[in-house]
Amino acid sequence: MVKGWNWDGFFDYLTNYYLFEGALVTLGLTVFAMTAGLVIGFVLAMMRLSRHKLLSGPAVFYIWVFRGTPLLVQLIIIYTGLPQLGIKFTVIESTLIGLAMCEGAYLAEILRAGITAVPSGQVNAARAIGMTEPQVMRYVIAPQALRIVIPPLGNSVNSVLKTTSIASIISMEELLRRTQVLIQERFLVLELFVVAALYYLAMTTVWDLIQRRIERRFGKAYGPISAGKH
Amino acid sequence: MANPETVIELHDVSKWYGPSFQVLKNCSLTVAKGEVVVICGPSGSGKSTLVKCVNALEPIQQGRISVTGVEVSAPKTNLPKLRARVGMVFQSFELFPHMTILENLCIGQRKVLGRSTAEAIVKAKALLERVGLTAQASKYPGQLSGGQQQRVAIARALAMDPVAMLFDEPTSALDPEMINEVLDVMVALTREGMTMMVVTHEMGFARKVADRIVFMDEGEIVEVGERGTFFDNPQTDRAKAFLSKILSH
Ligand SMILES: Nc1ncnc2c1ncn2[C@@H]1O[C@H](COP(=O)(O)OP(=O)(O)OP(=O)(O)O)[C@@H](O)[C@H]1O
Ligand SMILES: [Mg+2]
């Protein structure tokens, strides 16, 4: 049976407050995943760069596990599997934990690459004027690494925005989940999913613009590209 | 001076990279206050490694190094504090590219020595004037020529009021026309009585200001000579061979 495209239904859903709220939740999850992921990722990156096996070993293992398994599986284990061991989390808790832990693993690798990209001569120069190791990180490595990681971090935001939709599988009420719920009303499958797609597209597009602006800002403060290189 | 004050002392220093490659072999050297020691030798002989050991950028496995009586290699030594008292200038300048020239000169003064921003700026400006770069204060390192960057690097080290300065081939990365502007600053420093260890192949500089020349080969200090005797009458065959090679072009 061919139903055709329903413009009225499409515009109804485009201005539907319940869906709009879902998009806000998606945004919130993204902000949370990036923030918590950066904290976890920084700790993991520092551990991984440590010379002590007791620190680098667990970090390598963690990153290996969380980058090597789908977020979908991680979420199901946290929400549906762990109660079997008496560990219970609500839907929201499970989603936040899963997103933060998974994103932490990805961001750790980005941060580590940024830190190792700062030439070792810079570290020596900072040490040579008497900086302590935390000062070397704070004043010399971090600012230079930040500039290097801004483009990949921006791409992560775009990617996380879309990845949050996976949480719908454990019935987290974000954009995708609410889209699926609304289908029960009038079975306007195509219209609803196109609306959802437009929401995602709008959010990633706005982010693209913001990212471009940030990159321009950071590029300027530096002077010509040849800085410090010889 | 009858008994000059020792600033840097290396006693029987040995260092290995990895389990089997010995990069420094029983090196001993004393640098007195105000003395200028030039270190030369073929590529890979361990010159850079030797000076990096003095401020503990590289650890040593055997022997003893002390700076103004503070033992560098003792486990209890506060390395950042010790390094703050020894200036170091690198072949590749290593200015902090994300900071302006002025910030490069102030960061150590403020964060390591705890000077106020105002104090640090006064000192930084005085040093910039001394190396002839007052006009560049608010630029970034990437906007300066190599020779200018290296002069800033020297000023950055001097801003910490060091008891000694280490130079590792400070002019090797420079275009020929910029070498002299850097050497001039270094010569002026020696005139002010700065204690210096300088790795360089600029034999003109060595002839002019070095009190002693240290010749290294394969991790050993092969010969230590006064400036006159080393160039005109080297004692070892290895030094003779090295000198004939670098002085011929
Ligand atoms: N981090 C390191 N790990 C292992 N080997 C190293 C390391 N740094 C230097 N070496 C080796 O140690 C030896 C001495 O190096 P060093 O840089 O001290 O020599 P150099 O006399 O300064 O040479 P050049 O004139 O080329 O600068 C070389 O054979 C070098 O390959
Ligand atoms: Mg060298």
Side-chain angles (χ1 to χ4, degrees):
Chain A
M1 184 192 79
V2 178
K3 283 205 305 187
W5 175 263
N6 183 334
W7 280 110
D8 281 348
F10 171 74
F11 283 114
D12 274 356
Y13 286 129
L14 197 56
T15 53
N16 183 301
Y17 189 68
Y18 179 73
L19 270 188
F20 176 73
E21 260 183 356
L24 288 183
V25 171
T26 291
L27 263 185
L29 289 179
T30 305
V31 171
F32 173 84
M34 284 305 295
T35 313
L38 275 174
V39 174
I40 295 172
F42 183 73
V43 173
L44 283 172
M46 295 310 291
M47 285 171 69
R48 226 199 128 157
L49 288 167
S50 163
R51 257 169 301 162
H52 301 286
K53 285 266 181 308
L54 271 173
L55 288 173
S56 64
V60 168
F61 179 78
Y62 179 102
I63 293 166
W64 174 64
V65 170
F66 279 87
R67 290 179 79 217
T69 54
L71 176 62
L72 182 58
V73 174
Q74 292 164 18
L75 285 176
I76 294 173
I77 289 178
I78 294 170
Y79 181 66
T80 322
L82 287 184
Q84 211 173 310
L85 306 176
I87 307 168
K88 283 195 188 117
F89 292 114
T90 64
V91 169
I92 294 178
E93 285 165 355
S94 304
T95 305
L96 295 182
I97 293 170
L99 280 174
M101 290 184 80
C102 180
E103 203 48 36
Y106 282 99
L107 296 183
E109 288 297 89
I110 291 177
L111 295 179
R112 183 176 70 101
I115 290 169
T116 42
V118 177
S120 66
Q122 287 283 303
V123 177
N124 273 343
R127 285 183 184 153
I129 59 172
M131 286 194 193
T132 59
E133 295 308 303
Q135 287 177 326
V136 174
M137 176 53 71
R138 163 83 178 75
Y139 299 113
V140 176
I141 301 177
Q144 295 185 61
L146 186 64
R147 185 182 192 236
I148 298 167
V149 299
I150 280 175
L153 282 187
N155 294 341
S156 290
V157 174
N158 176 301
S159 156
V160 169
L161 241 165
K162 295 172 291 183
T163 303
T164 52
S165 59
I166 289 173
S168 63
I169 202 73
I170 58 170
S171 68
M172 174 71 206
E173 292 232 5
E174 41 65 74
L175 179 56
L176 182 62
R177 172 72 185 172
R178 290 200 162 183
T179 307
Q180 289 164 335
V181 168
L182 288 184
I183 288 175
Q184 310 307 321
E185 282 185 350
R186 293 154 71 184
F187 300 99
L188 296 176
V189 178
L190 182 59
E191 291 81 351
L192 262 166
F193 276 98
V194 167
V195 167
L198 286 176
Y199 266 118
Y200 282 114
L201 198 56
M203 291 190 283
T204 52
T205 304
V206 169
W207 173 251
D208 271 353
L209 296 175
I210 295 172
Q211 186 184 347
R212 233 171 282 166
R213 187 163 286 197
I214 295 175
E215 282 174 24
R216 222 178 306 140
R217 161 104 32 106
F218 268 80
K220 211 171 2 182
Y222 231 58
I225 329 106
S226 74
K229 288 271 146 51
H230 189 86
Chain B
M1 260 187 291
N3 189 10
E5 193 183 323
T6 299
V7 176
I8 298 169
E9 186 176 10
L10 291 89
H11 181 78
D12 214 17
V13 171
S14 290
K15 174 181 174 63
W16 284 261
Y17 278 126
S20 58
F21 177 57
Q22 186 170 2
V23 58
L24 297 178
K25 299 170 185 160
N26 307 92
C27 296
S28 292
L29 180 69
T30 306
V31 184
K33 185 165 186 199
E35 202 179 11
V36 177
V37 172
V38 162
I39 300 166
C40 62
S43 181
S45 54
K47 306 178 299 289
S48 298
T49 307
L50 189 79
V51 291
K52 278 188 197 153
C53 289
V54 172
N55 65 353
L57 288 180
E58 288 288 349
I60 60 171
Q61 282 78 41
Q62 247 174 52
R64 238 176 344 95
I65 299 178
S66 57
V67 174
T68 60
V70 179
E71 194 162 330
V72 176
S73 39
K76 283 228 180 91
T77 301
N78 182 335
L79 289 183
K81 207 168 162 191
L82 177 131
R83 288 176 184 140
R85 304 175 58 231
V86 181
M88 183 150 190
V89 176
F90 301 85
Q91 181 174 350
S92 47
F93 328 135
E94 302 299 349
L95 295 178
F96 305 130
H98 56 296
M99 299 179 195
T100 64
I101 301 308
L102 197 65
E103 286 164 352
N104 265 279
L105 298 200
C106 289
I107 184 84
Q109 296 189 67
R110 288 173 47 226
K111 302 301 173 190
V112 176
L113 301 181
R115 288 182 188 153
S116 72
T117 307
E119 251 181 307
I121 289 178
V122 168
K123 175 105 192 168
K125 288 197 166 157
L127 283 165
L128 280 182
E129 186 170 348
R130 183 159 148 195
V131 298
L133 292 170
T134 306
Q136 321 294 334
S138 56
K139 290 192 180 162
Y140 285 88
Q143 297 169 292
L144 268 54
S145 73
Q148 290 175 324
Q149 289 190 55
Q150 194 61 302
R151 285 186 280 155
V152 172
I154 295 172
R156 178 177 66 181
L158 291 175
M160 309 297 287
D161 293 321
V163 296
M165 289 278 286
L166 309 173
F167 293 84
D168 187 5
E169 304 207 31
T171 57
S172 301
L174 297 177
D175 294 334
E177 74 271 17
M178 294 175 186
I179 291 177
N180 279 329
E181 64 188 63
V182 172
L183 290 180
D184 288 346
V185 171
M186 292 170 64
V187 170
L189 260 185
T190 68
R191 299 266 147 82
E192 288 160 30
M194 178 59 77
T195 308
M196 295 169 41
M197 270 176 85
V198 185
V199 177
T200 186
H201 290 143
E202 291 297 327
M203 289 304 139
F205 173 81
R207 272 183 194 278
K208 195 154 141 196
V209 299
D211 294 300
R212 283 183 298 156
I213 319 278
V214 171
F215 173 68
M216 289 187 74
D217 192 16
E218 297 186 352
E220 282 176 275
I221 293 183
V222 177
E223 187 170 335
V224 182
E226 306 285 317
R227 124 180 65 152
T229 50
F230 179 77
F231 287 110
D232 303 330
N233 190 14
Q235 302 297 303
T236 58
D237 290 341
R238 284 199 270 183
K240 278 176 203 161
F242 174 74
L243 279 177
S244 69
K245 237 181 262 165
I246 62 162
L247 295 179
S248 65
H249 46 77

